[in-house]
Amino acid sequence: MPIAPEILAKYEPVIGLEVHVQLLTKTKIFCGCSTRFGDAPNTNVCPVCLGLPGTLPVLNKRAVEMAMRASLALNCTVHERSRFARKNYFYPDLPKGYQISQYELPLATGGWLDIEVAGAAKRIGITRLHLEEDAAKNLHEGFSQSATKAYIDYNRCGTPLVEIVSEPDIRSSEEAHAYLTSLRQIMLYTGVSDVNMEEGSLRCDANVSVRPRGLKEFGTKVEVKNLNSFRFLQKALEYEIERHIGVLESGGRLIQETRLWNQAEGHTVGMRSKEKAHDYRYFPEPDLLPVHVSDAWREEVRRSLPELPEAKRARFASYGITPYDVDLLTATRTLSDYFEETVAAGAPGKAAANWILTELIRWLNEKKVAFADNPITPGALAELLKMIESGQITAAVGKKVFATMFESGRRAADIVAAEGLGAQVSDSAIEAAARDVIAKNPDNVAKFKSGNEGVFKFFIGQVMRATRGQADPQAVNDILRGLLS
Ligand code: ADP
Ligand code: ZN
Ligand code: MG
């Protein structure tokens, strides 16, 4: 039964997320097997990742480096010394009978991530980031004897993961969504992971409790698993928050437990209570040396980090682009790089943002062209935008030119010249406009005469504007040169 909004408002949700991210290394964390996704089951395995007796793990340096990238991008302290531990449990997906993870000495601790919800900025603390190996994958369906047998694909076993644990700083399902979105984007920008929830390279467990507003003390928490999409995360949290409030309002008590989200039925179900929780009997991994990160190595990794989404957003905003458009442009590095290259090629920032987010995206969608196959290079788009900016053509003509560019791959100047889009005004009209502009701008005339060639563009722009973008740019150029020299 739904709970009245005024009752819901009496409670404050408290949420902490535990996120597993698969690192984009070519090989596994403790052996040389490939981590490629989608290969035939049990083809990327060896005695080490199958846990055969007598084999020894060898740490993949690249995995440590990627985990360091993630740690530094999340403002964590990377420790000089961290250590692997054995997390013992018995399950078919774990051939050794234990998972090699990090426990009391994780790679990194004490970071944060900034999010924004409804215009308000907020900092979410990151407790720790540690390295571990992934388990195998149980295949419950799709085989002739699936009804009576369990099938296991060990290809995933030993794939490097980082687990990123947040502080219980999140206060709503929207904040949880924003946190995961931002975390995902940082992992993409740093090239640490492809963070694909469908393929399981990003997995999230949510810890949630509620407390009466104003109370400092946290309530009893529940851990929710099986959240394999952003939407499920939000729905499961909303469901759990209401359930907790319902229990408390009816005078009941919550038990600390692990619950599973059932998407088909839209609710969570209890899986195991804290009393039945695993005792993992952690102890230091005797077959691996402690991980040592020198200052030099850590700083080298720090220097290799790209500009992160937050810094990029701030810089883009300085072009006068709306916050909404800034978010769209920085959503992926492909898009933000395209924008940057267009601006670097001389296009005004605001116009570049508008044209990319409206015309370009619209044409790509309409023609079902992937961004990677975009026929308009940043340089070609910049040429077009400069022609519009200088008044050589109008924005309306620009849209027609853009369409032709998209379909033919030709450059804007060619199209304008070939189709006579810029030449609609007689030479005498151009000359009249040019004389008028010169008369009204004696300062710039003086500048030009003293050798400031850059001012010439100003005159071209003014004459093009005066002729409503219909004049032939070459004619304007020739006539202005004649009058000014
Ligand atoms: P556990 O010992 O059960 O693993 P931890 O203290 O290690 O619990 O925390 C695991 C996750 O749960 C972290 O993300 C943390 O922020 C979150 N968390 C801890 N206490 C609460 C709480 N009362 N309500 C919601 N989340 C919590
Ligand atoms: Zn292997
Ligand atoms: Mg814990």
Side-chain angles (χ1 to χ4, degrees), residues 26-48:
K26 288 203 173 62
T27 57
K28 294 186 181 180
I29 184 167
F30 299 122
C31 64
C33 291
S34 168
T35 53
R36 207 168 30 244
F37 182 83
D39 281 358
N42 299 309
T43 52
N44 297 324
V45 291
C46 75
V48 174

Side-chain angles (χ1 to χ4, degrees), residues 167-469:
E167 290 288 307
D169 289 346
I170 299 166
R171 293 287 173 270
S172 65
S173 65
E174 291 82 8
E175 285 185 13
H177 190 278
Y179 171 86
L180 196 61
T181 305
S182 177
L183 184 65
R184 179 172 189 275
Q185 207 181 36
I186 291 171
M187 297 299 118
L188 274 178
Y189 266 63
T190 50
V192 160
S193 175
D194 57 14
V195 279
N196 185 328
M197 276 188 126
E198 284 77 54
E199 294 182 2
S201 57
L202 176 70
R203 280 169 263 160
C204 174
D205 300 332
N207 297 271
V208 55
S209 63
V210 302
R211 62 180 170 190
R213 279 191 195 278
L215 212 71
K216 257 199 136 83
E217 213 174 302
F218 287 152
T220 301
K221 81 169 157 93
V222 159
E223 184 175 351
V224 189
K225 290 186 178 285
N226 200 28
L227 304 171
N228 38 32
S229 84
F230 279 70
R231 206 162 51 85
F232 295 179
L233 167 68
Q234 232 181 323
K235 294 196 120 179
L237 283 173
E238 277 154 24
Y239 175 86
E240 262 315 287
I241 290 165
E242 279 217 31
R243 192 182 69 81
H244 285 215
I245 295 173
V247 169
L248 296 177
E249 280 289 310
S250 62
R253 271 187 57 220
L254 285 151
I255 49 166
Q256 187 168 338
E257 60 177 345
T258 303
R259 296 178 73 87
L260 278 186
W261 172 245
N262 182 330
Q263 173 59 20
E265 293 173 20
H267 61 70
T268 61
V269 279
M271 190 168 93
R272 56 169 184 255
S273 67
K274 187 71 182 177
E275 295 78 62
K276 289 189 215 135
H278 290 291
D279 171 6
Y280 293 119
R281 297 176 292 117
Y282 279 100
F283 63 87
E285 166 60 64
D287 290 340
L288 285 164
L289 287 168
V291 180
H292 182 262
V293 176
S294 68
D295 289 356
W297 189 19
R298 184 189 62 232
E299 292 315 306
E300 186 191 317
V301 172
R302 197 194 300 278
R303 278 194 301 276
S304 76
L305 286 177
E307 182 182 38
L308 295 175
E310 205 195 332
K312 205 178 271 294
R313 276 195 288 271
R315 202 161 46 74
F316 282 15
S318 72
Y319 290 120
I321 302 169
T322 65
Y324 181 78
D325 285 355
V326 168
D327 281 350
L328 293 178
L329 281 176
T330 52
T332 65
R333 235 173 105 182
T334 325
L335 196 57
S336 66
D337 284 352
Y338 184 88
F339 169 76
E340 302 246 52
E341 284 166 35
T342 308
V343 174
K350 206 167 149 55
N354 287 341
W355 280 73
I356 290 168
L357 293 175
T358 54
E359 288 306 296
L360 181 60
I361 298 290
R362 189 166 63 77
W363 275 91
L364 290 170
N365 287 341
E366 218 159 81
K367 300 288 167 188
K368 300 193 169 43
V369 177
F371 202 97
D373 304 322
N374 173 14
I376 300 184
T377 64
L381 178 60
E383 268 174 35
L384 172 68
L385 299 186
K386 281 188 282 185
M387 290 177 81
I388 297 169
E389 147 107 314
S390 67
Q392 292 178 57
I393 55 171
T394 60
V397 169
K399 284 190 185 177
K400 272 197 263 173
V401 175
F402 186 94
T404 312
M405 286 167 71
F406 195 94
E407 306 262 39
S408 69
R410 284 158 62 206
R411 307 292 279 215
D414 287 349
I415 297 165
V416 170
E419 302 187 10
L421 291 167
Q424 310 275 327
V425 184
S426 70
D427 282 2
S428 59
I430 294 173
E431 187 173 330
R435 285 188 188 283
D436 187 46
V437 170
I438 288 168
K440 283 182 181 149
N441 294 281
D443 291 359
N444 281 335
V445 173
K447 272 191 208 156
F448 180 75
K449 295 209 160 152
S450 67
N452 184 343
E453 181 64 25
V455 180
F456 192 67
K457 267 167 66 184
F458 163 82
F459 287 108
I460 297 222
Q462 291 300 307
V463 174
M464 290 308 295
R465 213 156 273 171
T467 51
R468 283 192 261 101

Side-chain angles (χ1 to χ4, degrees), residues 53-239:
T55 57
L56 288 172
V58 178
L59 179 59
N60 179 345
K61 188 177 171 192
R62 193 76 190 120
V64 181
E65 201 167 280
M66 286 196 165
M68 284 163 67
R69 282 173 83 76
S71 304
L72 294 170
L74 295 169
N75 308 292
C76 290
T77 303
V78 173
H79 298 295
E80 192 186 335
R81 199 181 126 95
S82 62
R83 191 163 65 188
F84 284 99
R86 291 188 181 178
K87 179 178 178 177
N88 298 279
Y89 66 92
F90 188 69
Y91 201 66
D93 68 1
L94 202 62
K96 295 192 295 296
Y98 58 85
Q99 177 195 29
I100 304 180
S101 180
Q102 291 187 309
Y103 188 52
E104 84 289 28
L105 291 177
L107 179 75
T109 56
W112 73 82
L113 190 158
D114 289 327
I115 59 166
E116 208 180 286
V117 172
K122 178 160 175 186
R123 179 160 289 183
I124 308 295
I126 297 201
T127 315
R128 57 185 278 149
L129 183 153
H130 70 247
L131 270 161
E132 60 187 32
E133 59 178 340
D134 207 347
K137 196 171 174 168
N138 291 301
L139 308 169
H140 297 291
E141 280 159 34
F143 298 94
S144 57
Q145 299 182 63
S146 281
T148 52
K149 288 197 164 108
Y151 293 79
I152 308 172
D153 178 6
Y154 287 96
N155 283 355
R156 203 180 66 181
C157 201
T159 297
L161 302 177
V162 287
E163 177 173 345
I164 302 163
V165 182
S166 88
E167 290 288 307
D169 289 346
I170 299 166
R171 293 287 173 270
S172 65
S173 65
E174 291 82 8
E175 285 185 13
H177 190 278
Y179 171 86
L180 196 61
T181 305
S182 177
L183 184 65
R184 179 172 189 275
Q185 207 181 36
I186 291 171
M187 297 299 118
L188 274 178
Y189 266 63
T190 50
V192 160
S193 175
D194 57 14
V195 279
N196 185 328
M197 276 188 126
E198 284 77 54
E199 294 182 2
S201 57
L202 176 70
R203 280 169 263 160
C204 174
D205 300 332
N207 297 271
V208 55
S209 63
V210 302
R211 62 180 170 190
R213 279 191 195 278
L215 212 71
K216 257 199 136 83
E217 213 174 302
F218 287 152
T220 301
K221 81 169 157 93
V222 159
E223 184 175 351
V224 189
K225 290 186 178 285
N226 200 28
L227 304 171
N228 38 32
S229 84
F230 279 70
R231 206 162 51 85
F232 295 179
L233 167 68
Q234 232 181 323
K235 294 196 120 179
L237 283 173
E238 277 154 24
Y239 175 86

